[in-house]
Amino acid sequence: MRSDVMSIGSVRLFRLALGTVLLLVGFALLVAQGFAWLDLEPRMMRALEGGALCALGTALGAVPVLVIRSMPVALADTLLGFGAGVMLAATAFSLVIPGLDAAQAIGLGKWGAGGMISFGLLFGAFCIYLVDLKVSGASPEALVGNAQQPVIAARIWVFVIAIVAHNIPEGMAIGVSAGGGMADADSLAMGIALQDVPEGLVIALVLAGAGMARFKAFAIGAASGLVEPVAAVICAWLVTVAQVLLPLGLACAAGAMLLVVTQEIIPESRSNGHHRLASLGLCVGFCLMMVMDTALS
């Protein structure tokens, strides 16, 4: 009898997850139709579409939390490593190298281009470093709310907020590449959207595992990617204002992503002792993004 009840519950959860996926896809199609009515400048539209694709990837990644409350730690660490590999490859092939080319295109020599990209990279990393300090230094009370609410450990909220914060440079990267009319802007958006899928899943599972209701955990995981289209459109507009902002914008996004990968994602993927699986996932993610960048550019 108990097994029959559990089976019925599992079927209902599966239907809920499937319905949610269909709802998200339908909503995405409606949003895409709405984009056509906006009649934006083509590069701005490209940035908005790329950012929206990444937000959809994050939302789809959070759907499985409606069916399961936890996943094997080894698999979670492998997925984090995979995401780190995708972001490292995107940093190198879709941001730094095109940034150097863009710097030389505005008249800088090789030393000048290298200096500009280095400055932008360090500035972007420093900005995310300051954000990380602010988040890490927040009081547990400010992160978990009052005593009447379900208590989620402060470190879990810090982890979630850190992932949401690093979605900003991802959106920046999409916006800068699209605003600059770069050929590999679409492959960059697809690569980031791909690594956003396990990212949304990890956020939702962490919150659900800490005791949060399934649907609320899903909603927070899905919403964590909404900062990407906003950042993409803003940065695309900035790049269209001044040509010199293209190489600087690419470099800042690269630096921000590089710091997030090395300071947040890679350490987290290796914190449970599955460092070999995390490293293997990183290599697979790096190669996949490299191939996508080469084939789609």
Side-chain angles (χ1 to χ4, degrees), residues 11 13 31 81 101 123 138 179 204 218 223-224 241 254 256 259 267-268 275-276:
V11 171
L13 288 174
V31 171
D101 293 338
F123 180 76
F218 159 75
S224 67
V241 173
L259 189 75
E268 183 66 25
H275 52 277
R276 292 186 179 86

Side-chain angles (χ1 to χ4, degrees), residues 24 28 31 35 46-62 86-87 90 166-175 177 185-201 203 221-232 257 289 292:
L24 287 172
V31 171
F35 286 170
R46 193 180 185 190
L48 183 58
E49 290 173 346
L53 177 64
C54 294
L56 177 62
T58 304
L60 290 175
V86 170
M87 291 180 67
H166 97 249
N167 283 337
I168 296 175
E170 292 178 5
M172 288 171 53
I174 295 169
S177 58
D186 293 336
S187 62
L188 175 62
M190 290 184 63
I192 291 177
L194 186 64
Q195 72 89 28
D196 278 344
V197 173
E199 193 172 277
L201 176 60
I203 291 178
S224 67
L226 294 179
V227 297
E228 295 189 48
V230 176
M257 289 177 63
M289 182 60 201
M292 288 178 60

Side-chain angles (χ1 to χ4, degrees), residues 14-223:
F14 176 77
R15 288 178 178 174
L16 175 62
L18 180 60
T20 303
V21 170
L22 295 176
L23 181 63
L24 287 172
V25 173
F27 180 73
L29 293 175
L30 287 175
V31 171
Q33 184 63 40
F35 286 170
W37 294 337
L38 291 176
D39 194 27
L40 293 175
E41 193 271 337
R43 288 178 293 180
M44 299 283 287
M45 179 64 72
R46 193 180 185 190
L48 183 58
E49 290 173 346
L53 177 64
C54 294
L56 177 62
T58 304
L60 290 175
V63 169
V65 78
L66 298 174
V67 181
I68 59 176
R69 290 184 66 90
S70 62
M71 67 186 302
V73 176
L75 177 58
D77 290 343
T78 303
L79 290 176
L80 281 174
F82 173 82
V86 170
M87 291 180 67
L88 283 176
T91 299
F93 299 107
S94 297
L95 296 175
V96 173
I97 294 177
L100 289 169
D101 293 338
Q104 293 184 37
I106 63 175
L108 295 178
K110 292 183 178 180
W111 284 96
M116 172 181 278
I117 299 304
S118 296
F119 170 80
L121 195 150
L122 292 174
F123 180 76
F126 181 69
C127 289
I128 294 299
Y129 175 75
L130 292 179
V131 171
D132 183 71
L133 282 181
K134 186 69 174 178
V135 171
S136 301
S139 66
E141 293 78 11
L143 291 170
V144 302
N146 56 52
Q148 279 68 44
Q149 296 176 332
V151 176
I152 306 296
R155 65 179 181 81
I156 292 178
W157 283 117
V158 169
F159 175 71
V160 171
I161 294 172
I163 290 183
V164 173
H166 97 249
N167 283 337
I168 296 175
E170 292 178 5
M172 288 171 53
I174 295 169
V176 172
S177 58
M182 297 175 59
D184 60 352
D186 293 336
S187 62
L188 175 62
M190 290 184 63
I192 291 177
L194 186 64
Q195 72 89 28
D196 278 344
V197 173
E199 193 172 277
L201 176 60
V202 167
I203 291 178
L205 287 177
V206 165
L207 291 174
M212 183 176 288
R214 291 178 189 269
F215 191 79
K216 187 176 181 180
F218 159 75
I220 293 177

Side-chain angles (χ1 to χ4, degrees), residues 1-10:
M1 182 66 178
R2 180 179 176 84
S3 61
D4 292 339
V5 173
M6 292 179 63
S7 177
I8 294 173
S10 299

